[in-house]
Amino acid sequence: MARVDALVDGIYRICTTVQLPDNTDFQFNQFLIDDERPALIHTGMYGLYEGVRDGVAEVLDPSKLEYVILLHFEADETGGMDRFLEGAQHSTLAGSAMSAILNLSGWNYSGRVEGHTEGEVIDLGKHKLRFLETPHVHHWDSMMLFDETTKSVFPSDLFIQPGDQPPVVTEDLGSMMCDYYREIGIFAHDQPVRDVVDRIEALDPDWIHGMHGGSLGRETIPHFIRALREEPVGYQGKLLGREVVPR
Ligand SMILES: [Fe+2]
Ligand SMILES: [Fe+2]
């Protein structure tokens, strides 16, 4: 079962909370934009498809989706893409040009694909989604989106918060976020992250809608930005909490 919450001006958070093997909660958020051309931003893993689709159906008919947007190629971002596209006849998969080159060609994927580069815009009607290429935060093909209408950043795995979080987080969880990044090891190095943090700050966003945890409003964003600037987040020898010991 996914929980659906209206966030701002036609943007909905479809949240599935799962229990990890260590008995902690972890959230997978997909974002639905209800507009003239409806869009779903990331899909969740293959196994979450029914719940996410039912969440979409609480707001609009999933067969009316026109865009399924992936921000990098990874199971939680893209696992449901085939089925969402199959269920929506006029939909297109949109991602970074790098995702299209690296991951959507040379495999057996045969659906409709658009690969985008920095600054290109998808016009949904009211909402305009601008692509930010953000390589190595955390994959080679990573990108983020900026909705110019609501001044919302969709940063996928940046601004992560583990645990069962409310739809909008107002607490300063910046240090917890950085601790968690060092534990799971998803960024190779601090610098690409800090460069992107500068770019996000320059956009002066009203909202940040991360994939894991709650959305952040204007008053909360600076706490997380400060932590990302001041605390290390790069790989320190751990993957998902496991020490990698060369033998
Ligand atoms: Fe990811
Ligand atoms: Fe993710």
Side-chain angles (χ1 to χ4, degrees):
M1 276 291 286
R3 169 180 166 168
V4 181
D5 288 278
L7 293 173
V8 53
D9 211 0
I11 300 177
Y12 294 81
R13 172 185 185 257
I14 300 174
C15 174
T16 314
T17 303
V18 302
Q19 252 203 350
L20 299 179
D22 65 358
N23 285 330
T24 57
D25 288 325
F26 195 76
Q27 296 174 318
F28 294 90
N29 301 323
Q30 327 311 325
F31 295 98
L32 175 66
I33 305 184
D34 182 10
D35 205 327
E36 285 169 46
R37 289 173 285 284
L40 180 66
I41 301 179
H42 28 88
T43 67
M45 292 85 85
Y46 186 83
L48 299 188
Y49 168 74
E50 280 85 4
V52 176
R53 182 208 51 208
D54 291 351
V56 171
E58 288 184 30
V59 180
L60 54 88
D61 178 352
S63 73
K64 301 282 189 264
L65 283 172
E66 293 203 20
Y67 285 100
V68 175
I69 304 180
L70 68 99
L71 302 182
H72 56 262
F73 211 87
E74 202 170 36
D76 62 333
E77 300 272 344
T78 62
M81 65 185 187
D82 303 67
R83 289 195 283 175
F84 273 110
L85 282 155
E86 272 165 30
Q89 223 192 332
H90 300 292
S91 61
T92 296
L93 184 66
S96 69
M98 288 295 281
S99 289
I101 293 165
L102 298 170
N103 290 313
L104 293 164
S105 58
W107 299 78
N108 59 354
Y109 184 75
S110 57
R112 293 169 294 281
V113 180
E114 283 178 9
H116 291 275
T117 53
E118 174 73 23
E120 292 180 7
V121 173
I122 289 185
D123 186 346
L124 301 180
K126 187 172 178 190
H127 299 263
K128 323 278 179 207
L129 300 178
R130 180 163 22 118
F131 287 83
L132 315 175
E133 285 193 291
T134 58
H136 305 295
V137 183
H138 60 120
H139 287 288
W140 195 15
D141 61 331
S142 289
M143 60 165 214
M144 299 182 188
L145 288 174
F146 181 60
D147 171 27
E148 295 171 349
T149 309
T150 60
K151 298 192 77 179
S152 289
V153 176
F154 295 89
S156 67
D157 298 333
L158 195 56
F159 301 93
I160 204 166
Q161 314 118 45
D164 189 16
Q165 304 295 346
V168 177
V169 161
T170 54
E171 237 182 304
D172 178 358
L173 300 177
S175 288
M176 181 185 83
M177 165 184 68
C178 294
D179 290 346
Y180 191 70
Y181 281 139
R182 293 192 298 277
E183 276 298 300
I184 62 175
I186 78 169
F187 300 128
H189 196 273
D190 294 330
Q191 201 55 53
V193 175
R194 291 189 179 152
D195 292 347
V196 164
V197 163
D198 289 346
R199 289 168 62 196
I200 289 174
E201 193 176 44
L203 292 170
D204 191 28
D206 284 335
W207 289 97
I208 291 180
H209 305 296
M211 188 178 189
H212 309 285
S215 291
L216 311 176
R218 174 172 277 283
E219 305 72 37
T220 317
I221 291 167
H223 301 306
F224 285 74
I225 286 194
R226 181 207 53 75
L228 289 167
R229 282 225 175 88
E230 294 176 4
E231 301 178 29
V233 295
Y235 177 67
Q236 295 192 358
K238 281 187 169 184
L239 291 177
L240 298 177
R242 172 178 59 87
E243 199 95 41
V244 176
V245 184
R247 296 180 202 279

